Amino acid sequence: EEEEEFILANELTLGLDADEDDEEVEDENEEKITSKTDSEKKKNKTVNYGKISSAIGKMQQKGINVTLPDINKSKYTFTPDVPNDKILYGIKGITRVGDNLVKEIIENRPYASLQDFLRKVKVNKLQIVNLIKAGAFDNLEQKTRQAILYEYLESVSDVKKDCNLRNMQMLINQKLIPEEYEFYQKLFNFNKYLKKAKAGSFYLLDEIAFKFYEVHYNVDLLTIENNKVYIDQKVWDKIYTKGMDPMRAFLKQNKEEMLRKMNSNLVEELVEKYAEGSLAKWEMSSLGFYHTEHELAAVDFKKYDIRNFFEQSEEPEVETVFFPKGREKPVPIFKIYRICGTVIHKDKTKHIVTLLTTNGVVNIKVWQAQFTKYDKQISEKLPNGKKRIVEKSWFSRGNKLMVTGFRRGDDFIPKIYSKSIYQHPFELIDTIEEDG
């Protein structure tokens, strides 16, 4: 048993030094990781998360416990903890944690708390978020992982100590301006608009600006030159300062309440960006396996005709046959059913998608045309020239799929028939309700 644990830990470690990685998709809003030189890239081989996820899934099928990483105990690689009959997750296997960071983490041990870690180790927001999601601080902090992540995000949320006109843009963005003060929001935006059209000591009023000014202010203060309308900068600044007095007074009178709402929203924005989803979802995104319950564990399998792949016959069951025109031999119609699971790997060359089901790891052997169709990524071009991903490939790691077809040997073959009640071989599980 001790020898088997070392072999299995070694199999996991092989995934840390792979030449290729699953295709990682980044949103244009994601924090950028510091770029590496070519020499660093050569030293820093990419982690094959799919290989690791698949190996862990197979081990869990055998009843072998792979534990969450520990910031004070985990090594670079996966290591067997023989006395406790476990394999300890290696730090390099955590998403976005590279060689240099692993080295720094190990060299600066031990850590007394998350804050102690942050004082000793240079780490960016995405890296620390993944370390927390992976459970690396669970033993150290002795709190729920959700509490650890929330407290960290609160500490970096740039909460404000005062609420005044300097925070006006933030208050507008957060929709905190009361309806009866809507005019001052417009005035604030008008002032910003004017300042973009500064011409020496004057502001230029284009047609849009003039319409607003004409309705609310004295047109006799304007200057017309070469068919263009201007207002003296000092004159307008005095009008604006006095005009915002009611808004200034409101913010002063309601400072505590507005400050509380504003800071609460700042924290929630970070929580929404970095802490969405369940504990199981966090583990899949940061580690590639479920240490807690599988995300699909509560699904009513009977309701959706979902079966345990490993309980099915290795050869497809023939339901009926038909004789196509011009062919002597009958064509079998196989009995089909569904499986569901989380994508942990895809092989574009062999057209294989690996699913982690609630019962274990299953390889889906996909036809080339099918693979191309469901592997497409949809993007849109933004005004600044960058691309924003609208929808990732359905075969992206972490996506949950329901697949219709049959078992053949060790593979699952996606298949539907024209008269089948199922219309698609692949269906994307977008959200999971509390009842499964």
Side-chain angles (χ1 to χ4, degrees):
E1 287 180 0
E2 183 176 328
E3 183 180 354
E4 184 181 15
E5 283 193 35
F6 274 99
I7 292 170
L8 292 171
N10 185 56
E11 183 181 343
L12 282 168
T13 300
L14 289 174
L16 298 177
D17 295 316
D19 293 323
E20 292 185 14
D21 177 24
D22 287 335
E23 186 181 348
E24 287 291 324
V25 182
E26 288 196 15
D27 189 276
E28 84 284 356
N29 292 319
E30 281 197 5
E31 186 175 330
K32 300 299 178 187
I33 305 301
T34 305
S35 59
K36 300 180 179 70
T37 63
D38 289 340
S39 59
E40 284 178 315
K41 284 179 181 177
K42 286 177 183 176
K43 290 179 186 176
N44 232 351
K45 285 191 175 181
T46 310
V47 175
N48 189 323
Y49 297 107
K51 187 172 186 177
I52 292 172
S53 299
S54 183
I56 292 176
K58 290 171 183 175
M59 288 175 197
Q60 288 178 321
Q61 278 176 261
K62 296 179 180 180
I64 295 165
N65 186 11
V66 179
T67 66
L68 296 172
D70 187 306
I71 203 68
N72 276 325
K73 295 178 182 178
S74 290
K75 297 180 181 178
Y76 178 99
T77 61
F78 292 81
T79 50
D81 178 2
V82 178
N84 296 308
D85 195 25
K86 298 175 181 177
I87 293 175
L88 187 60
Y89 201 98
I91 300 177
K92 180 61 192 294
I94 301 171
T95 305
R96 296 190 184 279
V97 177
D99 291 343
N100 292 337
L101 180 54
V102 176
K103 185 180 178 183
E104 197 176 346
I105 289 171
I106 293 172
E107 286 178 350
N108 286 283
R109 283 172 174 168
Y111 305 106
S113 65
L114 173 59
Q115 290 305 314
D116 183 39
F117 173 84
L118 292 170
R119 283 191 293 270
K120 293 178 177 178
V121 179
K122 186 179 179 182
V123 62
N124 67 41
K125 201 178 293 176
L126 283 173
Q127 289 168 331
I128 189 64
V129 164
N130 275 308
L131 283 165
I132 295 171
K133 284 182 175 181
F137 296 95
D138 284 10
N139 293 331
L140 188 63
E141 290 288 327
Q142 291 295 303
K143 298 174 186 173
T144 66
R145 220 171 305 164
Q146 293 93 332
I148 298 170
L149 183 54
Y150 191 91
E151 286 173 18
Y152 166 73
L153 293 174
E154 192 173 31
S155 72
V156 296
S157 63
D158 190 28
V159 292
K160 306 300 177 185
K161 295 180 180 178
D162 201 358
C163 183
N164 49 45
L165 285 183
R166 286 193 290 273
N167 307 116
M168 192 68 181
Q169 187 61 62
M170 186 176 293
L171 293 168
I172 292 171
N173 292 343
Q174 293 184 4
K175 296 180 173 58
L176 292 178
I177 306 296
E179 190 176 339
E180 59 269 31
Y181 286 85
E182 186 181 352
F183 171 76
Y184 304 103
Q185 178 175 319
K186 291 178 180 178
L187 179 55
F188 174 82
N189 287 329
F190 175 74
N191 184 60
K192 277 180 64 180
Y193 188 80
L194 266 191
K195 289 190 173 183
K196 289 179 182 178
K198 191 174 178 182
S201 60
F202 288 85
Y203 294 125
L204 173 65
L205 280 73
D206 61 13
E207 189 177 347
I208 296 171
F210 180 75
K211 282 181 180 178
F212 179 85
Y213 183 93
E214 185 183 29
V215 172
H216 301 288
Y217 301 104
N218 185 359
V219 293
D220 292 340
L221 298 173
L222 301 177
T223 301
I224 300 174
E225 188 176 318
N226 297 326
N227 294 323
K228 290 184 178 179
V229 182
Y230 299 89
I231 187 167
D232 185 278
Q233 179 184 330
K234 290 181 181 178
V235 171
W236 170 252
D237 288 348
K238 285 181 181 178
I239 293 172
Y240 175 71
T241 300
K242 186 177 181 181
M244 291 295 284
D245 279 346
M247 189 73 224
R248 193 178 288 108
F250 168 81
L251 292 176
K252 188 176 181 180
Q253 186 178 352
N254 298 276
K255 177 181 171 181
E256 295 304 318
E257 182 187 358
M258 297 298 283
L259 195 60
R260 179 184 59 77
K261 287 180 179 179
M262 187 169 64
N263 285 333
S264 176
N265 287 340
L266 284 171
V267 175
E268 287 306 315
E269 282 173 13
L270 283 180
V271 169
E272 187 177 334
K273 182 175 180 179
Y274 294 105
E276 273 191 323
S278 63
L279 209 60
K281 192 177 182 72
W282 290 6
E283 290 172 350
M284 179 52 64
S285 66
S286 61
L287 299 170
F289 85 106
Y290 296 116
H291 184 261
T292 52
E293 194 174 57
H294 195 294
E295 285 183 83
L296 301 172
V299 171
D300 183 347
F301 286 0
K302 286 184 179 179
K303 180 179 178 180
Y304 297 102
D305 193 22
I306 296 168
R307 316 273 183 91
N308 181 347
F309 170 86
F310 302 97
E311 292 179 353
Q312 306 310 307
S313 169
E314 291 189 14
E315 287 304 315
E317 183 183 340
V318 177
E319 192 168 44
T320 184
V321 296
F322 80 99
F323 292 85
K325 290 181 180 179
R327 290 183 62 174
E328 295 181 5
K329 291 184 179 179
V331 174
I333 302 296
F334 298 124
K335 196 169 186 178
I336 59 175
Y337 60 94
R338 287 162 153 179
I339 63 170
C340 69
T342 306
V343 178
I344 55 176
H345 186 51
K346 66 177 176 183
D347 187 323
K348 289 190 173 186
T349 306
K350 296 179 181 178
H351 306 122
I352 291 175
V353 177
T354 306
L355 281 192
L356 177 61
T357 71
T358 55
N359 306 109
V361 177
V362 179
N363 282 333
I364 314 294
K365 187 74 175 175
V366 188
W367 301 110
Q368 184 176 352
Q370 273 184 339
F371 195 97
T372 303
K373 175 182 177 180
Y374 291 101
D375 194 39
K376 283 181 181 177
Q377 178 174 291
I378 303 170
S379 302
E380 68 176 4
K381 197 169 184 179
L382 300 173
N384 60 10
K386 293 183 179 180
K387 285 186 177 180
R388 185 179 75 86
I389 296 164
V390 178
E391 185 178 324
K392 295 194 291 184
S393 157
W394 281 24
F395 299 152
S396 296
R397 186 164 63 99
N399 273 355
K400 293 165 288 294
L401 297 177
M402 183 152 60
V403 191
T404 301
F406 53 83
R407 179 176 178 175
R408 176 173 280 157
D410 293 329
D411 299 323
F412 190 80
I413 312 298
K415 182 69 177 177
I416 55 168
Y417 296 103
S418 58
K419 294 182 180 180
S420 170
I421 59 170
Y422 308 122
Q423 297 181 4
H424 307 283
F426 293 95
E427 293 175 82
L428 182 67
I429 302 170
D430 184 42
T431 55
I432 304 168
E433 302 298 334
E434 288 183 8
D435 62 356

